[in-house]
Amino acid sequence: MLDWLPQTRGCAGPGTQALVERIAAAADTLPWGQNYDASDFGAAFQARYGFMELIGPRGPLAASEIACGLLLFAPETEYPQHRHEAEELYVVLAGRAEWRAGDESYAVAPPGAVLHRPSWIPHAMRMGAEPMLALYLWRSGDLMQKSEIG
Ligand SMILES: [Fe+2]
């Protein structure tokens, strides 16, 4: 799942390049995993994404109401519509993917963009030619909840 991480160094933005470089350099030491399984979006999706929780119930820095980590997607991958009780904030670090929430149409969010997803708002993203690396922040009373699909 980390095969595409080196490539994110070439598609970061001026405000995110230094952080992306640090993440790429430290990638092997970070606790990457997956929060979906093949029954959710299929085996092809599983091979094309990874996430890493740095702060939260699973992360090396324990927290019970806030979770924060990284999300990595391979190029040409669709993260289908999903929703969850947790309020979410994404900061795009690298890659120009298309993002959508609620009734919005897909729109490109460049590196540096901040996207807010209120509780239970359906949201999705699709990657084009570039991989996508984003920081995510979840706020909820139940940080172990699994997203609902659709
Ligand atoms: Fe989400």
Side-chain angles (χ1 to χ4, degrees):
M1 77 182 76
L2 296 180
D3 294 356
W4 295 276
L5 195 56
Q7 209 180 319
T8 62
R9 301 167 73 181
C11 53
T16 64
Q17 188 75 48
L19 179 55
V20 171
E21 297 286 350
R22 295 285 300 274
I23 292 166
D28 291 343
T29 69
L30 301 174
W32 293 95
Q34 293 187 318
N35 51 350
Y36 292 107
D37 58 46
S39 67
D40 293 316
F41 303 124
F45 179 86
Q46 290 305 111
R48 303 184 71 78
Y49 98 100
F51 101 113
M52 190 281 291
E53 187 171 289
L54 187 61
I55 301 169
R58 309 174 187 86
L61 302 178
S64 58
E65 293 183 359
I66 291 276
C68 179
L70 300 170
L71 197 54
L72 173 68
F73 284 101
E76 311 298 345
T77 304
E78 180 179 4
Y79 184 8
Q81 182 166 284
H82 61 285
R83 65 186 82 200
H84 39 74
E85 182 273 330
E87 177 184 11
E88 184 165 37
L89 210 56
Y90 288 106
V91 181
V92 181
L93 300 180
R96 298 174 61 84
E98 293 180 307
W99 300 66
R100 181 172 70 72
D103 297 331
E104 296 170 3
S105 325
Y106 274 108
V108 171
V114 177
L115 299 103
H116 179 235
R117 304 296 183 234
S119 179
W120 291 119
I121 287 287
H123 50 288
M125 66 187 84
R126 56 189 186 197
M127 281 34 78
E130 297 175 339
M132 202 282 293
L133 180 68
L135 186 82
Y136 73 86
L137 195 59
W138 263 31
R139 179 164 62 183
S140 170
D142 175 16
L143 294 168
M144 296 301 286
Q145 68 188 273
K146 190 166 177 180
S147 296
E148 293 181 12
I149 297 167

